[in-house]
Amino acid sequence: MDALHTTKATARLITQHLGSHYVLILKGNQSLARAAAHALLTGPDADWTKNHRHR
């Protein structure tokens, strides 16, 4: 899936209508979306993400 499809509508279609799970692409130039994702994804696995960043 392309970053173009990283929308609430796509997420709802996949999770609610299709009953599936997903991984959506988030580009670095989307600062508000990136900040929201960071807030949601901080927690016990945060150490893993710090050590395995894409370079």
Side-chain angles (χ1 to χ4, degrees):
M1 192 177 298
D2 187 88
L4 174 68
H5 299 288
T6 302
T7 65
K8 289 179 184 179
T10 301
R12 284 188 191 108
L13 171 70
I14 294 169
T15 58
Q16 294 175 5
H17 297 286
L18 301 175
S20 299
H21 299 280
Y22 64 93
V23 174
L24 295 175
I25 306 301
L26 181 61
K27 294 176 82 173
N29 64 350
Q30 299 296 319
S31 59
L32 290 175
R34 187 173 181 197
H38 179 73
L40 289 171
L41 298 173
T42 54
D45 294 327
D47 289 337
W48 187 89
T49 58
K50 287 178 188 173
N51 296 321
H52 295 86
R53 289 185 180 173
H54 180 69
R55 296 171 199 233

